[in-house]
């Protein structure tokens, strides 16, 4: 059977019930959604359950390496914006970049066979969709749910 990563969308509940009944393993992108599924007697793991201190450190190191080479743009910005970019860009990006990197590293650990998302615009769901594309893992995008 397949390992299916699902985004947090209540409209997916009937589909997830059927996937569970068919014997598939479910992983939820968000812990509260995993809890909702567990309360419905649908076994599921949250992607966060795959995390550990080593993985967390790896994600932060990768984010730091990327930001060590980031440079502010040299044109098309006014002086105030350019100054802000020079002084604050790395600090602004670091936690966001670390979160996206951690998410994708956790995908590497969980190894889903299918990714089901309701939205591919949010940063983490976009990362999941792009990860799937890069790894040859099918991504089922159901816009506006069902």
């Amino acid at each position: 059977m397949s390992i299916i990563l699902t985004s947090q969308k209540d409209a997916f509940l009937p589909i997830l019930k059927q996937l569970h009944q068919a014997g598939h393993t479910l992983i939820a992108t968000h812990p509260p959604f995993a809890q909702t599924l567990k309360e419905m007697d649908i076994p599921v793991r949250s992607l966060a359950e795959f995390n550990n201190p080593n993985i967390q450190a790896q994600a932060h190191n990768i984010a730091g390496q990327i930001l060590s080479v980031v440079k502010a743009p040299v044109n098309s910005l006014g002086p105030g914006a350019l100054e802000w970019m020079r002084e604050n860009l790395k600090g602004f990006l670091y936690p966001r970049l670390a979160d996206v990197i951690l998410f994708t590293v956790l995908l590497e650990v969980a190894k889903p066979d299918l990714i089901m998302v309701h939205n591919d615009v949010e940063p983490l769901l976009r990362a999941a969709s792009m990860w799937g594309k890069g790894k040859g893992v099918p991504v089922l995008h159901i816009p506006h749910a069902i």
Side-chain angles (χ1 to χ4, degrees), residues 70-84:
V70 167
K71 294 187 178 16
V74 293
N75 55 16
S76 75
L77 294 176
L82 188 56
E83 180 64 23
W84 186 92

Side-chain angles (χ1 to χ4, degrees), residues 1-6 14-28 37 41-45 112-114 116:
M1 289 291 131
S2 298
I3 298 171
I4 301 170
L5 177 79
T6 181
I15 295 170
L16 296 173
K17 282 181 187 180
Q18 291 180 14
L19 291 170
H20 158 63
Q21 291 169 351
H24 298 287
T25 300
L26 302 176
I27 300 172
L37 292 170
D41 293 326
I42 299 173
V44 62
R45 289 182 73 185
D113 300 307
L114 172 70
M116 190 168 71

